[in-house]
Amino acid sequence: MDLRQLEYFVAIAEEGTFTRAAARVHVVQSAVSAAIKTLERELGATLLDRNAKRVLLTDAGEALLPKARAVLDAVVEAKDAVAEVKGGLRGTVKLGTLTSMTLIDLPALLGEFHRRHPGVLVRTSAATSGSQGLIEQLLDRRLDLAFASLPGDVPDGILLDELAHSVMDLVVPNDHPLAHKEEVPIGDLAGLDFIDSPLGYGNRAVADRAFAHAAVPRRVTLEMSDIYTGVDYVRHGLGVALLPKYILAGAEGVTTLKVTGADLRWPLALARPADRTPSAASRALIAVVHEIFSRDRRRTPA
């Protein structure tokens, strides 16, 4: 048994197919298949059920998976320890991001991190399925860290550090019957056509929780994957929307109202898995994130 076999086995377990596993470890599929067959022969057990459309773990595979992950994590920690002694932090951090990240200047943050730790590669990826998709990737070990918006209870297996938040306001066209008001109770919003993000997105979860808590029915008639298009949809009379304050500055053709009787606080947090210790590279990125957000909070007037 060698580390390469364990790496390939874990990749298959997490990706679900030999094809995606091979792409992840940057080798041809036949090499992955041969390594797994050798591993099964050495262990005297079948580790994978290859008959399903998605490769599944057998009982033996389920037993091996946490041990294989622990071995690979230990190897990373050993490399990190040596790199720190040599004075140059190295490694890769897989970072998940939201499609709308205006609460944080991500390029500036990553630029600052790169200047401090040029030997660390940060691979970023955005989840088209929103924060829920990012959490699933953290739990599946496809990500090390993720910026996510998770109102309510923290999911099992996840540690969450809240960094910032924005309150969402109601946005209506200028000719809407509510446009003359400055605020509106959430109970008065029943029956309106809402524009919102798909299920799984943090801002959608905030709105759904607020309306459910107030026992007010809500109808979403148009879904948008890019929250910045929300103002345009509202301006053209396709519905009303709950949007964060930070994208509403200078918005034309629409009116913004405060919604009372509802918690419409949209949080941004840094999420990581609870079942494994972050690598030295991940810890360094976590430290830079917290430093920058702490600095920004000190600069922002209360």
Side-chain angles (χ1 to χ4, degrees):
M1 184 188 305
D2 61 35
L3 292 175
R4 177 176 52 84
Q5 293 169 335
L6 295 180
E7 180 186 7
Y8 294 176
F9 168 71
V10 170
I12 294 170
E14 293 177 356
E15 298 295 337
T17 71
F18 279 84
T19 301
R20 289 204 298 267
R24 169 169 151 178
V25 298
H26 308 294
V27 299
V28 296
Q29 185 173 330
S30 59
V32 173
S33 181
I36 296 303
K37 288 179 180 177
T38 301
L39 179 61
E40 290 178 322
R41 187 166 57 250
E42 292 176 355
L43 293 175
T46 301
L47 302 173
L48 303 172
D49 177 3
R50 298 166 173 82
N51 295 322
K53 290 183 179 179
R54 177 182 173 88
V55 177
L56 303 175
L57 297 180
T58 63
D59 289 344
E62 292 283 3
L64 176 61
L65 183 58
K67 303 298 183 183
R69 284 172 167 163
V71 170
L72 296 176
D73 286 346
V75 171
V76 171
E77 291 176 9
K79 291 180 178 178
D80 288 344
V82 173
E84 287 186 275
V85 170
K86 293 170 63 177
L89 184 62
R90 297 190 177 276
T92 299
V93 181
K94 294 171 288 185
L95 175 67
T97 68
L98 298 168
T99 54
S100 299
M101 289 285 293
T102 309
L103 276 175
I104 175 175
D105 187 343
L106 187 61
L109 186 152
L110 294 180
E112 176 69 18
F113 180 78
H114 178 69
R115 286 188 289 275
R116 298 187 192 186
H117 305 290
V120 176
L121 173 64
V122 180
R123 296 185 183 274
T124 62
S125 60
T128 55
S129 51
S131 292
Q132 188 56 48
L134 292 171
I135 294 305
E136 291 171 0
Q137 291 183 54
L138 286 170
L139 295 174
D140 289 344
R141 291 174 172 252
R142 286 177 283 165
L143 292 175
D144 301 308
L145 303 170
F147 290 107
S149 178
L150 297 168
D153 296 334
V154 179
D156 291 340
I158 294 294
L159 296 176
L160 211 61
D161 297 331
E162 185 168 331
L163 302 170
H165 72 271
S166 179
V167 175
M168 297 196 298
D169 288 331
L170 182 71
V171 182
V172 303
N174 282 341
D175 59 355
H176 193 275
L178 295 175
H180 67 284
K181 297 186 176 183
E182 294 185 357
E183 59 181 42
V184 58
I186 190 171
D188 290 355
L189 303 183
L192 299 182
D193 290 337
F194 274 85
I195 301 159
D196 211 332
S197 297
L199 291 172
Y201 282 60
N203 56 307
R204 173 68 177 266
V206 170
D208 286 347
R209 288 179 72 251
F211 277 81
H213 187 264
V216 177
R218 188 171 79 113
R219 182 174 62 239
V220 176
T221 57
L222 190 154
E223 290 187 343
M224 55 183 176
S225 58
D226 180 2
I227 196 170
Y228 288 94
T229 63
V231 170
D232 293 328
Y233 284 125
V234 172
R235 181 187 301 117
H236 289 287
L238 295 172
V240 303
L242 292 165
L243 297 173
K245 291 179 182 294
Y246 65 79
I247 71 170
L248 297 175
E252 298 179 354
V254 297
T255 300
T256 301
L257 298 81
K258 177 182 178 182
V259 179
T260 60
D263 180 5
L264 291 172
R265 193 169 160 274
W266 183 17
L268 175 67
L270 185 64
R272 64 186 188 276
D275 65 348
R276 65 185 189 269
T277 302
S279 67
S282 292
R283 293 197 300 272
L285 181 54
I286 292 170
V288 170
V289 170
H290 281 286
E291 177 186 328
I292 288 177
F293 270 92
S294 295
R295 184 175 65 204
D296 290 346
R297 279 194 293 268
R298 289 196 297 270
R299 290 175 177 173
T300 303

